[in-house]
Every structure is written in C-alpha cells, then in structure tokens.
C-alpha cells in the first residue's frame, strides 16, 4: 500500500511539476515524516477521548486517576507511530544507509518507549498497593524506583547490543569489568541506594514516622523517601533532607512504636530541699489522714510500724530504735496514688515514683509514667497538670522545692541580716 501510494505521488510530481524535482529518497522521507506525524496525532485524539471517559466520576474514579497520572496509555499509544514508521521503512525504502539508519533510530525509540511503559506499570502497581492500604506513600517506594532504573538500564544495554551487533549478555559481561571503577566513582550513590533498600525492606522508617537524627536538624515527620534520601518535615515547618546512608551508618530515634503502644513517657524530677526532709509529727499524721487517697496507705503503714515498735521496744527508746513515717516517704506515696487516680495516665504501663541520687541541687524525686494519649498537646497538658499539683501540694507535707537563690534574694537576705546586727 505504501509503495503504491509513493509511486502515484512520484508520478504526479513528474507529470504536473507540482514542486521542483526532488530525489526519490527525499520524497520517501517526506512521506515517512507525514505518515508518522499523522499517526502520532491520531493517537493523541484517541488518548483524549479515553481521557474524557476515564475522568467521568464513577465507582472506580481513584483507580482511573492513578492510570491517568502514570501516563501508561499515552506511552502505549506511542508504539503505534513506531510500528507505522517501521512498516513504512521496511516496505518503501530500498537497501542502503538511509534505511539502516532509520531502522536503528526506530529500534532505539522502541526500546526507550518500552522502558517508559515498564516504569508506568511499576508506578501504577505502587499506587494501587498504597490505595488498598489507605495511604499516600509507603516504604516500598525505593524498591519500585530501583526496578524502574533497572528497566532503563536494560533498555540501554539492548540499544548498545543492537548498535554494536553483539549479544546483550556479552555487553553485560563487559560492564562487569567496569564495576570496580563504577563503584569508586558512584560510591555515594551506591551506598545511598543500598541504604534506601535496607530502610524500606526492614521497615526501619515509614511514611509519617516521627524521627530524630542526632547531628542534624531533622526532628519531625517523614514526608518522602527516595532511593538515596529521606525528607523530614520538622516541627518548625522546615524540611531537612537526610542521606539514607546516614540512617544506616549512625543511630537515630524513631517514635513510631510509642504511637503504636498507646503511651507517651513522662520522666521528670521534682528537686526537694534536703533540709525540709523530716519525720512525721502527730499533727502531720492527723492532717494527712484527711487526704482520701492516703487513707489506705497510712492505715497499713501505721499498723506495720506499730507492730514493729511493739516487738522491738526497749527501756531506752530513742528515735533511732523506732520506726516512724517521714514526710518525703508519705509524699512519695501520695504522688504514686495521685498519678494512678488520673484519667489521662495509661494504667497498663509502668508507673514509678522514685528517689534519685542526691546532688548539690537537692534530692530529685522522679515521676515515671505514660500518658494514655500520645498527641503532643495532650501529653504536655497532662504532664503540666501533674507537676502543677505536686509542686503546690508539697508544703502540705512540710517539704520545700530546691531553688538556687537569685541575686535579689541574696541582697534582701543580706540587708535583713545587717539590720538585725545594727539593732
């Protein structure tokens, strides 16, 4: 068909002298260009109609959008102009350099279009997988990117093999000889690629995870994961890009497990002035018995202490020979009972109130527990409410919070002492 059309066109040119005499090869090339362009625009029209149909709202609208965004259909339709031009070249052109060049160019474009189609299919598979999970991004993104790169590499190998006339396996075996040089030149890229696959396959980082990377400004949620880097949206709305290899070579903190377990840790100390620690007096005991959450503790402790003192009493009883309650021990019991009574605390996780090693800043009483809500706002509110109450209730137990005196307080104390001496 193409040859008949070309003969008719060439005869018309000779008879009608419609345009200056051109070599037969030029006419063939112009006709080839026209047929290729016409088939391309025909494919564009077909894709436009398909696009209008796919954009119609329906039950499977998200799936249709995935196919459109991946551009799989227009890439497949690109094969039609390639097939048309290939048939035209094989049918019309005679043996020669022009035909060989055109066939080679057609084959090169064919391999690259196939690589594009393969990449689009991978993108569709990735998006459909995320759609079934109800997420926008997933750690498997790096793996699909690797497969896409491999597709383009195979296309390049096929092109080189076709141009050189060698078997593709021969080209691949020849590339292995350059592996040492490639590893040296692209060391960082290879390390990043390996690290990205490791992070994705082992689930060390997922989209949306809150991570902290020491030595960097990265402290926030993961918003993107590529083959060689991880992007983190920090809490100040800045974005930090961390090389994937850094996350493998050095430790980092991932807060994902905290959200999955449903408890966010509170670990903070109250610094008590050691001079305020003392044994409980009868007046203190009477006052403490009015506290509801301490009644059970006091009744049990007083019974235990009374039994001990009756067993170990002696004629020369001193305070060292008897057992007595202390204000700090009772306050510690109050803190524990108070924290257990709160609604915002996770009762299934560890709750401890303990004394730490005394320092020159006083005696630290550490509160260790977990909130039931892991959100930042709720966590800070619950933690603040706990310490607001405990700091305010400390004087009820005869305890003082340790605080380094300010310059103004020192001057006031010095002036008061000077006035007393003068009087």
């Amino acid at each position: 068909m193409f040859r008949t059309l070309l003969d008719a066109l060439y005869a018309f040119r000779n008879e009608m002298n419609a345009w200056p005499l051109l070599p037969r090869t030029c006419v063939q090339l112009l006709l080839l260009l026209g047929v290729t362009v016409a088939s391309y625009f025909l494919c564009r029209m077909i894709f436009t109609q398909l696009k209008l149909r796919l954009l119609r709202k329906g039950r499977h609208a998200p799936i249709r959008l995935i196919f459109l965004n991946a551009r799989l259909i227009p890439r497949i339709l690109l094969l039609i102009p390639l097939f048309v031009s290939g048939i035209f070249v094989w049918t019309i052109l005679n043996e020669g350099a022009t035909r060989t060049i055109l066939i080679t160019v057609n084959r090169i474009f064919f391999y690259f279009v196939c690589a594009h189609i393969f990449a689009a299919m991978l993108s569709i598979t990735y998006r459909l997988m995320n759609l079934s999970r109800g997420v926008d991004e997933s750690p498997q993104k790096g793996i699909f990117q690797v497969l896409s790169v491999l597709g383009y590499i195979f296309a390049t190998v096929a092109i080189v093999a076709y141009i050189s006339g060698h078997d593709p396996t021969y080209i691949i075996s020849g590339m292995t000889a350059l592996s040492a040089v490639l590893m040296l030149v692209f060391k960082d890229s290879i390390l990043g690629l390996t690290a990205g696959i490791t992070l994705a396959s082992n689930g060390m980082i997922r989209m949306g995870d809150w991570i902290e990377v020491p030595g960097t400004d990265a402290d926030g949620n993961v918003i993107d994961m590529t083959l060689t880097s991880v992007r983190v949206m920090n809490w100040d709305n800045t974005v930090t890009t961390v090389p994937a290899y850094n996350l493998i070579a050095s430790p980092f903190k991932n807060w994902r497990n905290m959200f999955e377990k449903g408890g966010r840790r509170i670990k903070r100390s109250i610094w008590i002035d050691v001079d305020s620690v003392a044994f409980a007096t009868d007046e203190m005991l009477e006052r403490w018995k009015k506290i509801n959450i301490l009644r059970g503790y006091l009744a049990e402790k007083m019974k235990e202490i009374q039994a001990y003192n009756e067993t170990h009493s002696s004629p020369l009883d001193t305070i060292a020979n008897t057992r007595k309650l202390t204000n700090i021990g009772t306050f510690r019991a109050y803190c524990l009972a108070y924290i257990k009574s709160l609604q915002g605390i996770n009762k299934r996780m560890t709750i401890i109130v303990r004394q730490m090693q005394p320092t020159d800043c006083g005696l630290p009483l550490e509160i260790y527990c977990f909130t039931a809500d892991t959100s930042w706002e709720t966590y800070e509110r619950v933690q603040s409410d706990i310490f607001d109450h405990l700091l305010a209730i400390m004087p009820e137990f005869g305890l003082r919070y340790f605080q380094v005196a300010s310059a103004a307080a020192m001057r006031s104390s010095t002036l008061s002492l000077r006035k007393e001496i003068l009087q």
Side-chain angles (χ1 to χ4, degrees):
M1 182 183 67
F2 289 129
R3 185 175 293 278
T4 302
L5 178 61
L6 181 62
D7 292 339
L9 185 63
Y10 200 75
F12 176 78
R13 179 191 68 82
N14 292 332
E15 294 177 3
M16 304 299 297
N17 197 21
W19 58 81
L21 290 177
L22 293 175
R24 185 180 181 87
T25 303
C26 294
V27 177
Q28 293 173 343
L29 293 178
L30 290 175
L31 184 60
L32 171 63
L33 179 62
V35 171
T36 304
V37 172
S39 61
Y40 172 76
F41 281 103
L42 178 62
C43 293
R44 287 285 299 272
M45 293 175 57
I46 295 174
F47 173 69
T48 302
Q49 296 298 322
L50 290 175
K51 185 177 180 179
L52 293 176
R53 291 178 177 272
L54 291 174
L55 286 177
R56 294 177 182 175
K57 294 183 178 180
R59 181 178 178 184
H60 303 291
I63 299 178
R64 298 174 183 176
L65 289 177
I66 290 175
F67 275 86
L68 285 177
N69 293 332
R71 301 186 59 82
L72 176 63
I73 297 176
R75 294 180 182 183
I76 294 177
L77 292 177
L78 284 176
L79 294 175
I80 297 178
L82 290 176
F83 285 138
V84 171
S85 60
I87 294 174
F88 186 93
V89 170
W90 281 99
T91 306
I92 301 300
L93 296 181
N94 298 321
E95 294 287 344
T98 303
R99 179 180 180 181
T100 303
I101 293 174
L102 291 177
I103 292 176
T104 303
V105 172
N106 183 276
R107 185 67 63 90
I108 290 173
F109 276 104
F110 173 76
Y111 286 137
F112 273 117
V113 170
C114 289
H116 279 307
I117 294 173
F118 180 69
M121 294 175 63
L122 289 176
S123 178
I124 291 174
T125 304
Y126 172 71
R127 294 299 175 187
L128 290 176
M129 182 180 65
N130 291 343
L131 181 64
S132 64
R133 297 178 178 177
V135 297
D136 294 330
E137 300 289 344
S138 65
Q140 287 74 30
K141 181 178 180 180
I143 298 176
F144 282 93
Q145 287 179 332
V146 171
L147 294 176
S148 178
V149 171
L150 289 176
Y152 285 104
I153 292 175
F154 284 129
T156 305
V157 170
I159 291 171
V160 174
Y162 178 76
I163 294 175
S164 62
H166 293 91
D167 189 81
T169 57
Y170 175 80
I171 303 298
I172 295 175
S173 62
M175 292 177 61
T176 57
L178 299 176
S179 60
V181 178
L182 293 176
M183 290 182 64
L184 180 62
V185 175
F186 301 102
K187 181 186 68 173
D188 294 336
S189 300
I190 294 173
L191 289 176
L193 176 62
T194 305
I197 296 175
T198 303
L199 291 174
S201 60
N202 294 337
M204 299 170 64
I205 293 181
R206 300 173 186 170
M207 297 300 301
D209 284 357
W210 171 16
I211 65 172
E212 292 182 39
V213 184
T216 67
D217 296 331
D219 183 10
N221 292 330
V222 176
I223 59 173
D224 188 29
M225 294 177 60
T226 62
L227 286 177
T228 57
S229 63
V230 176
R231 297 178 64 209
V232 179
M233 174 69 76
N234 301 317
W235 300 122
D236 57 357
N237 289 330
T238 60
V239 176
T240 302
T241 302
V242 182
Y245 177 70
N246 287 5
L247 301 178
I248 298 296
S250 59
F252 68 94
K253 183 183 291 186
N254 192 331
W255 292 81
R256 183 205 315 155
N257 194 62
M258 177 196 70
F259 294 102
E260 293 177 350
K261 295 294 183 181
R264 189 166 182 174
R265 187 183 69 177
I266 296 176
K267 185 182 180 183
R268 184 181 291 183
S269 297
I270 298 176
W271 295 85
I272 298 174
D273 190 347
V274 178
D275 292 337
S276 65
V277 178
F279 286 107
T281 62
D282 293 337
E283 180 184 356
M284 289 180 178
L285 291 175
E286 291 300 321
R287 189 168 65 248
W288 295 342
K289 288 179 181 179
K290 299 177 182 179
I291 303 175
N292 293 332
I293 59 178
L294 277 181
R295 288 177 181 173
Y297 169 80
L298 289 175
E300 182 180 352
K301 275 295 183 182
M302 291 301 295
K303 183 178 179 181
E304 178 184 338
I305 290 174
Q306 183 179 358
Y308 178 88
N309 290 337
E310 290 177 355
T311 305
H312 299 80
S313 60
S314 62
L316 299 176
D317 280 338
T318 62
I319 194 171
N321 294 330
T322 60
R323 289 184 58 184
K324 295 188 68 175
L325 287 174
T326 61
N327 57 353
I328 189 171
T330 307
F331 178 65
R332 182 162 48 85
Y334 174 83
C335 293
L336 185 62
Y338 173 74
I339 293 172
K340 289 183 177 180
S341 67
L342 296 177
Q343 295 293 329
I345 298 299
N346 193 325
K347 309 301 190 306
R348 297 179 290 104
M349 294 186 173
T350 305
I351 302 176
I352 296 176
V353 180
R354 58 176 181 168
Q355 290 185 23
M356 305 297 288
Q357 177 69 30
T359 67
D360 53 356
C361 294
L363 176 63
L365 191 69
E366 186 182 77
I367 310 299
Y368 189 100
C369 59
F370 293 82
T371 59
D373 194 332
T374 58
S375 65
W376 189 13
E377 297 85 354
T378 305
Y379 166 77
E380 294 294 347
R381 178 182 57 79
V382 172
Q383 181 175 236
S384 299
D385 289 345
I386 290 175
F387 285 90
D388 288 348
H389 178 80
L390 295 182
L391 290 174
I393 203 68
M394 279 178 60
E396 192 71 19
F397 295 87
L399 296 170
R400 294 189 303 272
Y401 189 83
F402 181 87
Q403 181 174 332
V404 178
S406 63
M410 294 295 291
R411 284 196 300 267
S412 177
S413 177
T414 303
L415 291 175
S416 299
L417 181 60
R418 183 179 298 175
K419 288 180 181 179
E420 291 180 2
I421 292 175
L422 293 176
Q423 291 176 356

